[in-house]
Amino acid sequence: MSRHTGIRALAAAALLVPLAACSSSSDSDGDTKPAAKAAGFPYTVTNCGVKTTYDAPPKRAVTMNQHATEVMLELGLEDHLAGTAYLDDKVLPQYEKAYESVPVLAKEYPSYEKLLAANPDYVYGGYASAFLAGDGRSRSALAKSGIDSRLNVEGCAKKPVSMDDVYREVREVGSTFGVRARADKWVSGAQRELAATAEKSKGKKPSSVFVYDSGDKTAFTAGGRGIGNDIIKRAGGRNVFADVDKSFSDASWESVVKNRPETILILDYGATTVAQKKKRLLDDPVLQDVPAVKNKSFAVLPLSDMVTGVRAPEAVRKLAAQL
């Protein structure tokens, strides 16, 4: 996939004009009247403890992390993007053309200086790491520069994340950018898709599932806090580490053996291929009596399917078919 590194050249004055700013117009008596505000504004939302009121949609957003980017592209908001960063996988085919129109600021996270150079008025992060204070990109630092921000709800969840949180994420982003109707339409479609998958899985005994993200000395796996656990459950599975109160966590191989998973769900991303991950599992003498290893029962999903974004409903269908 080609990556565009240039920033669109825009006149400085245009950058300072809000999308729905109040303008003045003269009537026959010389009086001035403010233009009407955009529909749905002002809009106030509290996200991960940060309360923000928007008088108009952001004009120059930067997304960091793939699922944040794909929420924006699903809602048709590429024209509001001044930049993007940090893919784990290829974007979905239906987003490729829109993605290619957006400047890529960095392969991973951009420096604070490079982020500011894009002149954003809004930064949308998928993971809490997008706003690490040590890297100078904290939400408070952005606010001091006059930049609003949003963190995906899974990044600050205090309880297990569910598909309802996916709906909330899409709807709140849609409302922030004045396209709530598009968000509601997507949610309705997602609900229909999940209902159809549930109907097909009705009556089937849940299959025990171990998620293998990565790891050698220990297994990095999905716990019960993240959307991945809900995806597995809706697909007709049972996450063997659902009792771990984290989205992702390290687990000992002894605990994997003890839980005797019937299927291993491999997350596909990065430099290590699915084939290499399978070989590591199949060749490990400690795992030889695990039913999933013994029967070579594997499922595969891209990492981007297992986060709180627009891929989640389709991920349920894909996993259900493999289980």
Side-chain angles (χ1 to χ4, degrees):
M1 179 184 301
S2 63
R3 293 179 178 272
H4 297 281
T5 56
I7 304 299
R8 295 171 182 167
L10 295 174
L15 298 179
L16 298 175
V17 180
L19 184 63
C22 293
S23 60
S24 296
S25 60
S26 299
D27 59 18
S28 57
D29 296 324
D31 294 332
T32 58
K33 295 181 180 180
K37 286 185 178 291
F41 293 91
Y43 170 67
T44 299
V45 62
T46 299
N47 165 247
C48 293
V50 178
K51 185 176 181 179
T52 308
T53 296
Y54 297 90
D55 292 321
K59 288 185 68 175
R60 294 185 57 79
V62 169
T63 54
M64 297 199 289
N65 304 119
Q66 181 149 357
H67 46 310
T69 301
E70 291 187 347
V71 168
M72 294 286 287
L73 297 180
E74 174 62 36
L75 294 176
L77 295 169
E78 58 269 21
D79 288 344
H80 290 258
L81 288 172
T84 186
Y86 217 141
L87 292 186
D88 287 310
D89 310 298
K90 290 186 66 174
V91 296
L92 292 173
Q94 62 264 38
Y95 304 144
E96 285 180 358
K97 185 176 179 180
Y99 178 77
E100 291 292 333
S101 72
V102 181
V104 174
L105 305 184
K107 184 177 181 180
E108 295 186 356
Y109 292 128
S111 67
Y112 189 59
E113 292 73 20
K114 194 163 190 177
L115 180 60
L116 290 183
N119 197 24
D121 56 3
Y122 179 90
V123 177
Y124 180 15
Y127 298 114
S129 53
F131 298 116
L132 286 180
D135 293 339
R137 297 186 310 270
S138 70
R139 297 184 72 181
S140 59
L142 291 170
K144 289 178 181 177
S145 296
I147 302 169
D148 293 322
S149 61
R150 178 180 180 86
L151 173 60
N152 183 285
V153 292
E154 189 169 343
C156 61
K158 303 300 182 185
K159 60 180 182 179
V161 175
S162 71
M163 208 62 67
D164 286 341
D165 294 294
V166 176
Y167 303 155
R168 175 186 170 193
E169 184 73 15
V170 174
R171 281 175 167 148
E172 289 184 353
V173 173
S175 295
T176 298
F177 285 85
V179 292
R180 176 60 184 260
R182 296 180 197 172
D184 288 340
K185 182 179 180 180
W186 180 86
V187 170
S188 295
Q191 291 171 330
R192 289 193 297 271
E193 181 175 16
L194 288 167
T197 302
E199 184 64 29
K200 291 180 181 179
S201 301
K202 188 183 295 184
K204 295 181 181 179
K205 180 184 176 183
S207 174
S208 56
V209 177
F210 157 57
V211 177
Y212 181 53
D213 175 291
S214 58
D216 189 24
K217 293 183 179 179
T218 58
F220 195 56
T221 188
R225 177 68 73 88
I227 190 65
N229 188 67
D230 192 44
I231 289 172
I232 292 168
K233 185 176 180 179
R234 288 173 181 269
R238 178 180 60 81
N239 179 10
V240 297
F241 289 108
D243 59 339
V244 176
D245 191 26
K246 294 181 179 180
S247 293
F248 285 90
S249 179
D250 286 303
S252 69
W253 291 110
E254 289 76 14
S255 64
V256 174
V257 173
K258 182 180 178 181
N259 279 291
R260 298 182 58 79
E262 297 166 288
T263 297
I264 296 176
L265 170 56
I266 294 175
L267 299 187
D268 183 16
Y269 72 100
T272 306
T273 66
V274 170
Q276 289 171 326
K277 290 182 180 182
K278 281 185 181 180
K279 187 176 188 305
R280 186 258 173 267
L281 296 166
L282 291 170
D283 291 350
D284 190 336
V286 173
L287 303 178
Q288 294 311 297
D289 290 331
V290 171
V293 173
K294 187 181 295 186
N295 299 319
K296 297 182 179 179
S297 178
F298 296 101
V300 179
L301 287 177
L303 174 62
S304 294
D305 282 19
M306 291 281 283
V307 291
T308 307
V310 292
R311 293 185 181 218
E314 173 70 5
V316 173
R317 186 195 65 77
K318 289 160 59 177
L319 181 57
Q322 294 180 78
L323 293 181

